[in-house]
Amino acid sequence: MLKNYMEILVDEVYNEVKDQYDVCKYDDCINDIKATALNNLPPVYFSSCISEGEKKAFLLNRQMKITVLAKITEAVQLVSQRCKS
Ligand SMILES: [Zn+2]
């Protein structure tokens, strides 16, 4: 099955920083944050010949994490403006 590794990275980075954000903890808002961030990031799919090590390297890439964090920060701002709670 194909996996979008950007989705995995967004999940990981969000989990690392979620406590720093003052957004509500409803699943809807968390999903909105991740969806908004993902719409602003390119999807990343690996072909079957890519090694686990290379996939792991993508998830640990510092520059990529910084890019993802910037998109999550933007998404948090957008979603918290919309949130009614
Ligand atoms: Zn909310």
Side-chain angles (χ1 to χ4, degrees), residues 24 29 83 85:
C24 83
C29 280
C83 181
S85 62

Side-chain angles (χ1 to χ4, degrees), residues 23-75:
V23 283
C24 83
K25 301 292 185 270
Y26 286 117
D27 284 349
D28 276 357
C29 280
I30 294 168
N31 283 339
D32 281 357
I33 290 165
K34 291 179 182 174
T36 305
L38 280 166
N39 282 338
N40 290 309
L41 290 159
V44 174
Y45 295 100
F46 291 113
S47 74
S48 52
C49 58
I50 299 290
S51 71
E52 287 304 314
E54 281 173 274
K55 293 174 187 172
K56 200 161 183 125
F58 167 77
L59 294 174
L60 295 172
N61 184 298
R62 205 178 136 70
Q63 193 54 50
M64 191 56 73
K65 286 181 120 173
I66 291 169
T67 303
V68 167
L69 181 59
K71 296 300 178 193
I72 289 177
T73 306
E74 284 175 24

